[in-house]
Amino acid sequence: MGKTKPNQITKGRYQLKFRGTNCLNCGHLLDISDRYCPNCSQANSTKKLVLKDFFDEFFSNLVNYDSKLLQTLYALLIKPGTITKDYINGKRVAYTNPFRFLLSLAFLYFLIFTYNNRFSAVDKAFEGFDEKLEQAEVMSLDLTPEDSLVVRKETEKVLSRLDSIEIPETNISEQLKLLDSIDIFDLEKKSKRKDSLIKANPRTYFKSINDSTGWSDVFSKMEFFTKKIRQDTLRNFSDVEARYGIGNNFEDKLAFNSSNSLLKAIREPGSFLNATISKLPFVIFFFLPVFTIFIWVVYIRKNYTYTDHLIFSFHNQSLLFILLILSLVIDSIFDTASSGMFLLIFGIYLYKSMRKFYGQGRFKTIVKYIFLNTIFTFLAVFVVLILLTGSAFTY
């Protein structure tokens, strides 16, 4: 153990003339042939460090990493399932760490996707949309869900009463008097009064809704903040505290930040989608461990641990990122859409990888392939919906 092998680098400060007989870190006795201390792993060298030593080690480690990277890429692309078999069987020196490799690919994908923003045109298309929406709200009824339910019930009552009353079709003035006597437009008047109060005396209005409790209180505050952000161009919660005397508490901050984020998402939908999708690679690290549970259950009779299945998931997800990165690069250069083709390639690869790693026949593999991909799709849709909802309130 610790003997120098013929293919090990022995230049620089690792030359035999710089070897010591005691570890400078822990004092462990060493043989002159020991390149590293078997007790603490520090390099066995008594040479004073110079800048050249740092450069030599940097390029040596870089070449070593590149060889691992190329070997990992080769196994992933050419030999489906082989890399996972080798890794869990102990052949790990030739390959990069699966978790670190997946993290590096996710980070690279994030950079390329952010740079290659294809949603910028959506922002241009929605320029001024928020102002138009605000104008439309001013012209229309600003009703809460409870008000909408009341309107529906009152409308049904009106229709039933109109059915029982015979009114001459030519007597329009009498019809208007009848509708006015029913007070169906009280909600419109109420909405206008509420908007006027928010505009004229926002402190008083906020105090009135601050006395209520529950989610209706939060939604009422969000409505208030939405209107005031549009009217007064509020930038942060400090502006709200100073201008309207609102307390610094979690509920008010939640309502303000949610309103502000939703308005930004409406004004810049392209940037919102780009920011949301760019988070997906990092969500993968929370998603894959959950999905791996289903793989473990499906192959429970196989002599594999949960960690073995997780490594299998990491390797396959790494290949998916590689293909998606290639797709982004090709689309950026040739202005095309190649993601569908690369996803098809990944689907074929995944089937072959499952057959190779788990060693089952075509029929069983196809059945489990369909089942696991269905579970994957449902989980992915669920995660994306949560991510979109969370991003809308935190953008």
Side-chain angles (χ1 to χ4, degrees):
M1 181 178 179
K3 303 296 181 182
T4 304
K5 297 179 181 179
N7 62 342
Q8 285 184 325
I9 300 173
T10 57
K11 63 180 182 179
R13 67 191 187 101
Y14 296 105
Q15 295 179 59
L16 285 173
K17 63 181 181 179
F18 297 120
R19 302 282 172 85
T21 55
N22 292 88
C23 178
L24 297 179
N25 181 55
C26 66
H28 187 80
L29 291 175
L30 299 175
D31 188 87
I32 197 70
S33 61
D34 289 329
R35 187 183 177 196
Y36 296 98
C37 173
N39 185 51
C40 68
S41 301
Q42 176 165 291
N44 181 16
S45 176
T46 59
K47 182 179 181 293
K48 290 289 185 179
L49 290 174
V50 295
L51 287 177
K52 185 177 181 300
D53 295 325
F54 287 109
F55 284 109
D56 287 342
E57 290 185 32
F58 172 76
F59 286 109
S60 297
N61 291 331
L62 186 62
V63 170
N64 185 43
Y65 181 78
D66 283 346
S67 64
K68 285 187 175 184
L69 180 62
L70 292 175
Q71 184 68 20
T72 302
L73 289 174
Y74 176 79
L76 278 175
L77 295 169
I78 307 300
K79 298 179 179 180
T82 301
I83 184 174
T84 309
K85 263 186 173 298
D86 289 345
Y87 201 87
I88 66 173
N89 288 331
K91 299 178 181 179
R92 299 165 189 165
V93 175
Y95 304 114
T96 58
N97 180 279
F99 178 81
R100 188 186 307 161
F101 188 54
L102 180 58
L103 181 64
S104 301
L105 289 171
F107 182 71
L108 181 60
Y109 176 82
F110 169 77
L111 289 178
I112 297 176
F113 188 90
T114 305
Y115 175 76
N116 189 28
N117 183 8
R118 286 177 168 261
F119 297 110
S120 56
V122 180
D123 286 341
K124 294 180 181 178
F126 275 77
E127 283 182 357
F129 177 77
D130 185 45
E131 289 75 11
K132 294 177 182 178
L133 185 63
E134 183 179 2
Q135 293 174 4
E137 288 179 355
V138 172
M139 297 174 63
S140 63
L141 285 174
D142 188 10
L143 304 179
T144 65
E146 293 79 10
D147 291 340
S148 300
L149 182 61
V150 172
V151 169
R152 194 183 313 122
K153 290 181 178 179
E154 291 297 327
T155 304
E156 291 175 356
K157 290 180 182 179
V158 171
L159 293 175
S160 62
R161 290 179 62 178
L162 287 176
D163 288 338
S164 61
I165 300 175
E166 294 184 2
I167 302 176
E169 294 182 359
T170 55
N171 195 348
I172 298 176
S173 60
E174 292 295 323
Q175 295 180 31
L176 293 175
K177 288 180 181 179
L178 175 64
L179 291 175
D180 186 57
S181 66
I182 300 173
D183 291 333
I184 187 62
F185 300 116
D186 275 355
L187 290 173
E188 182 180 5
K189 296 175 183 177
K190 177 184 175 183
S191 176
K192 290 180 178 178
R193 286 197 301 269
K194 177 175 64 176
D195 290 344
S196 300
L197 181 58
I198 292 176
K199 190 173 183 179
N201 199 338
R203 285 175 177 260
T204 302
Y205 180 81
F206 188 85
K207 185 178 179 181
S208 67
I209 63 175
N210 201 33
D211 295 334
S212 59
T213 59
W215 282 107
S216 59
D217 180 25
V218 177
F219 290 131
S220 297
K221 289 180 179 180
M222 286 180 62
E223 180 188 19
F224 170 82
F225 287 133
T226 300
K227 293 181 182 297
K228 299 314 293 181
I229 289 171
R230 284 171 169 169
Q231 293 173 3
D232 300 340
T233 318
L234 303 173
R235 292 180 176 82
N236 51 56
F237 190 74
S238 300
D239 294 341
V240 175
E241 290 181 281
R243 190 170 300 186
Y244 307 119
I246 295 174
N248 187 356
N249 58 71
F250 173 77
E251 185 180 281
D252 293 345
K253 281 186 175 181
L254 174 65
F256 175 82
N257 292 332
S258 300
S259 302
N260 200 23
S261 297
L262 286 170
L263 284 175
K264 286 172 65 179
I266 293 173
R267 294 188 188 111
E268 304 170 348
S271 300
F272 165 71
L273 288 174
N274 188 65
T276 302
I277 294 174
S278 64
K279 296 174 186 174
L280 287 175
F282 302 99
V283 176
I284 290 293
F285 292 100
F286 300 96
F287 170 77
L288 281 183
V290 176
F291 176 66
T292 302
I293 296 174
F294 292 92
I295 301 178
W296 176 69
V297 171
V298 168
Y299 288 102
I300 196 168
R301 292 184 178 181
K302 288 289 182 179
N303 191 25
Y304 289 126
T305 65
Y306 171 82
T307 304
D308 296 337
H309 296 298
L310 186 61
I311 293 172
F312 177 76
S313 298
F314 279 172
H315 281 147
N316 287 301
Q317 191 63 43
S318 295
L319 179 72
L320 178 59
F321 274 130
I322 291 171
L323 295 176
L324 290 176
I325 289 170
L326 288 174
S327 175
L328 286 176
V329 172
I330 291 174
D331 292 350
S332 178
I333 296 174
F334 299 103
D335 193 23
T336 183
S338 60
S339 58
M341 178 186 68
F342 283 102
L343 288 175
L344 177 61
I345 294 173
F346 174 73
I348 297 171
Y349 173 91
L350 181 60
Y351 166 76
K352 290 184 174 295
S353 181
M354 289 174 65
R355 280 209 66 193
K356 178 69 176 178
F357 181 68
Y358 293 108
Q360 293 188 329
R362 286 188 176 87
F363 179 75
K364 283 187 176 180
T365 303
I366 289 173
V367 171
K368 293 180 179 182
Y369 177 89
I370 294 173
F371 173 76
L372 289 174
N373 277 282
T374 303
I375 295 295
F376 184 91
T377 302
F378 276 115
L379 287 176
V381 170
F382 178 72
V383 169
V384 169
L385 288 176
I386 292 177
L387 182 60
L388 285 170
T389 305
S391 297
F393 286 92
T394 58
Y395 175 59

